Amino acid sequence: MIEIRNIDKRFGSLHVLKGVGFAIERGSITAVVGPNSSGKTTLIKCVLGLVRHDSGAVSIDGVCMNGTWQYRNDIGYMPQIARFPENLTVDELIEMVKDLRNVKNAGEEELIELFRLGSERKRPVRTLSGGTRQKVSAVLALMFNPAILILDEPTAGLDPLASSLMKDRILNERQKGKTIVLTSHNMHEVEELSDKVVFLLDGKVLYDGKPHDLISTTGEPTLERGIARLMENNGK
Amino acid sequence: MKTTLKILKYEFHNVIRNRWMLAYALFFLVISEALFQFGGDASKVMLSLMNVTLLIIPLVSLVFGTMYAYNSREFIELLLSQPVDRKWLFVGMHAGLALPLALAFVIGVTMPFVIHGVGEAGNTPTVVALIGAGIFLTLIFVALALLIAVVNEDKGRGFGVSILLWLFFAVIYDGLILLATLTFREYPMEQPVIVMTLFNPIDLARIALMLQFDISALMGYTGAVFEEFFGSVTGMVVSFGSLVVWTAFPFLLALRRFIQKDF
């Protein structure tokens, strides 16, 4: 279980996270949603240790993460923007990440086949389209069979087929008992995938619960409209 | 440490394939060869090459290094999400950027000297000094470039700072020294000027090379004072030590900021 307790983060005068706290159950998909600049990516980066929170704590299975890096062995991360060294090939990029983790077989062949990247693997990254880079990013996140997957806008930039494959894979990973945290602006996707929604607004948790409960609480027909209602009710 | 070598391996592969790196090596190759064709003997070539080296290496290391660091930001984030220590990741990044730049300079400068048989004229120590100074300047200004990129979030601002820093060390600093010597011309300025020289890596490299070329006599009394200090064992230790400090200080400062930085 991932526990986020009372996290505060400021960037200068900007108060990005204001006492954010919630728990993420093992073997579940949790979607962190919210408008732009609500603090979603900062929160994810706090869990990964890319951003150091000013106060509060993140713990995984009861172990506090402050300042350590070894716990990232159990995490696969797909960033929002897939940008890699331009002159490395796809194969070299995968080798680099495998080398860093000291793993010879990371299950990358199956993922390359899944995302149909076979013909791209010898090409330098600079020649790849944005969508293909995103697929490479998905392969890098899903390799090593990590217990926790953190996916920042996982289907953004993917074509409908790749997006569908990605969503199937996410559901499949949950069935295997993986803990998955994702962010998305696509509420249909969130509704389709997630067991739990955490709605952030101006750095605060405004809703933490099941998507269907949010729909019924707000009396709206869809999650998208339910979220819109929450925003309206809070002066947005 | 293993992490550093792994990062270095892939960063080196990436940077060395950059077309600007090829252009950089070709630049030194063409300039050196052209100086041989038009300038005559090896010592004249080295003197002209010294002036080019002292201007171009800091400029390219700063600008290329700063841009490279900003363009790698998202990839650095990805690497930091892996189980790696920030410290070793940074060391690998610095080496992966500085080594290809230094290699491009060494290949570009060395080839014409090898072709024209510089060793026979007994100029090998001077060529080695020129290459050594070039490598030191690359390491120093790549570290400064990374420091600029780590401290400034905005790419445009970082680029501006790197250009300003180059202008300061390559042009403005010498102007300030000149201004100080003119203002205080009634006083003995030799010792303060030597001390001021230590605070500019380009000046340090220039003086070390000029002593190798044995042209300090052309600089009159100041040249004699420089030769007396920097030509002595103490002076050589101080100048070499200063270059080492110049290599280590911005690197350690950048490393410290990188470890504390929010990505």
Side-chain angles (χ1 to χ4, degrees):
Chain A
M1 187 169 84
I2 304 173
E3 262 189 289
I4 296 161
R5 288 191 298 272
N6 207 25
I7 285 195
D8 242 69
K9 180 66 191 174
R10 281 177 186 274
F11 292 109
S13 59
L14 205 64
H15 202 171
V16 181
L17 296 175
K18 300 165 186 166
V20 171
F22 58 92
I24 297 164
E25 294 297 327
R26 186 193 288 259
S28 69
I29 300 177
T30 300
V32 180
V33 300
N36 295 330
S37 309
S38 58
K40 303 185 295 290
T41 298
T42 304
L43 179 65
I44 277 181
K45 286 181 174 180
C46 284
V47 175
L48 284 163
L50 299 182
V51 168
R52 277 129 209 260
H53 39 273
D54 302 328
S55 60
V58 176
S59 62
I60 297 176
D61 294 331
V63 181
C64 194
M65 298 298 108
N66 288 349
T68 58
W69 51 268
Q70 290 84 352
Y71 73 98
R72 293 192 210 115
N73 263 313
D74 296 325
I75 297 179
Y77 170 54
M78 184 174 173
Q80 203 177 95
I81 302 165
R83 196 175 286 169
F84 310 113
E86 298 278 293
N87 302 304
L88 293 185
T89 64
V90 173
D91 268 353
E92 284 173 329
L93 197 58
I94 290 169
E95 277 306 309
M96 180 182 192
V97 178
K98 278 167 62 182
D99 252 10
L100 285 174
R101 294 210 187 201
N102 287 316
V103 175
K104 291 234 182 298
N105 183 7
E108 72 275 15
E109 292 302 328
E110 184 219 335
L111 292 163
I112 286 170
E113 201 175 315
L114 174 73
F115 289 107
R116 298 161 197 201
L117 286 168
S119 58
E120 318 286 346
R121 51 199 302 176
K122 302 287 175 209
R123 288 176 60 189
V125 169
R126 68 172 182 275
T127 64
L128 303 179
S129 68
T132 307
R133 288 180 198 213
Q134 197 69 2
K135 288 182 203 172
V136 173
S137 185
V139 170
L140 295 175
L142 294 163
M143 279 178 4
F144 311 107
N145 199 23
I148 299 165
L149 281 167
I150 298 178
L151 313 168
D152 200 353
E153 306 265 2
T155 59
L158 292 179
D159 59 56
L161 175 63
S163 173
S164 180
L165 288 169
M166 184 70 194
K167 285 193 272 191
D168 287 345
R169 184 72 192 204
I170 291 170
L171 291 169
N172 190 253
E173 294 292 322
R174 179 186 54 187
Q175 275 195 328
K176 286 195 243 167
K178 306 282 179 68
T179 307
I180 299 158
V181 184
L182 59 88
T183 72
S184 180
H185 282 291
N186 183 340
M187 291 304 124
H188 299 296
E189 183 177 286
V190 170
E191 211 170 339
E192 183 185 346
L193 294 176
S194 57
D195 303 304
K196 177 176 164 170
V197 172
V198 175
F199 176 58
L200 287 181
L201 191 67
D202 294 334
K204 286 182 186 163
V205 175
L206 221 63
Y207 178 82
D208 173 10
K210 292 182 177 171
H212 290 102
D213 290 347
L214 190 147
I215 293 169
S216 50
T217 309
T218 54
E220 296 289 342
T222 62
L223 183 66
E224 188 171 34
R225 287 184 181 275
I227 293 280
R229 172 56 59 90
L230 275 182
M231 287 172 72
E232 273 174 14
N233 291 348
N234 284 276
K236 292 285 164 182
Chain B
M1 196 62 191
K2 276 184 185 172
T3 304
T4 298
L5 294 175
K6 287 170 187 172
I7 299 282
L8 167 62
K9 177 182 152 189
Y10 291 99
E11 284 284 323
F12 186 88
H13 276 125
N14 181 46
V15 176
I16 207 80
R17 290 174 192 161
N18 189 304
R19 62 178 189 274
W20 290 107
M21 205 51 59
L22 181 67
Y24 186 55
L26 278 175
F27 170 81
F28 281 110
L29 186 73
V30 170
I31 288 283
S32 308
E33 184 56 30
L35 288 169
F36 267 111
Q37 295 298 329
F38 302 113
D41 66 84
S43 55
K44 282 183 189 166
V45 170
M46 277 186 283
L47 193 58
S48 306
L49 206 51
M50 177 191 80
N51 291 317
V52 176
T53 299
L54 293 175
L55 281 179
I56 296 298
I57 289 184
L59 178 65
V60 171
S61 300
L62 272 173
V63 173
F64 184 82
T66 311
M67 288 299 106
Y68 188 82
Y70 280 114
N71 292 338
S72 304
R73 191 183 160 115
E74 287 84 6
F75 188 60
I76 293 169
E77 282 180 27
L78 182 71
L79 291 179
L80 287 172
S81 74
Q82 303 300 319
V84 294
D85 192 333
R86 281 189 180 209
K87 177 175 58 188
W88 298 122
L89 172 62
F90 182 81
V91 177
M93 269 177 56
H94 176 265
L97 186 54
L99 289 184
L101 276 166
L103 191 67
F105 160 72
V106 172
I107 290 172
V109 164
T110 312
M111 275 174 67
F113 280 100
V114 172
I115 293 165
H116 293 276
V118 67
E120 290 162 21
N123 285 318
T124 308
T126 320
V127 178
V128 171
L130 182 69
I131 289 170
I135 292 172
F136 259 117
L137 288 177
T138 306
L139 292 172
I140 292 166
F141 284 93
V142 164
L144 285 168
L146 293 181
L147 178 61
I148 291 167
V150 171
V151 170
N152 296 287
E153 280 294 314
D154 183 64
K155 189 176 177 176
R157 185 185 154 104
F159 182 72
V161 172
S162 67
I163 294 285
L164 276 178
L165 199 67
W166 174 76
L167 264 178
F168 177 76
F169 283 130
V171 183
I172 298 169
Y173 195 85
D174 286 348
L176 292 176
I177 290 183
L178 193 64
L179 191 69
T181 48
L182 283 173
T183 309
F184 302 103
R185 59 180 173 275
E186 306 297 324
Y187 302 92
M189 285 298 289
E190 291 76 19
Q191 300 298 332
V193 167
I194 285 174
V195 173
M196 280 191 270
T197 303
L198 301 179
F199 290 95
N200 183 348
I202 297 178
D203 280 352
L204 266 174
R206 181 181 290 124
I207 286 167
L209 287 172
M210 284 172 100
L211 291 173
Q212 282 289 328
F213 292 128
D214 204 21
I215 54 166
S216 49
L218 297 175
M219 294 165 63
Y221 177 64
T222 315
V225 171
F226 277 158
E227 186 159 27
E228 191 184 312
F229 177 73
F230 287 108
S232 68
V233 176
T234 314
M236 278 193 258
V237 169
V238 169
S239 59
F240 182 74
S242 302
L243 280 173
V244 172
V245 169
W246 262 110
T247 310
F249 184 65
F251 172 79
L252 292 174
L253 209 58
L255 172 64
R256 193 167 164 226
R257 291 300 294 261
F258 184 82
I259 289 170
Q260 295 166 343
K261 186 176 170 68
D262 287 329
F263 280 89

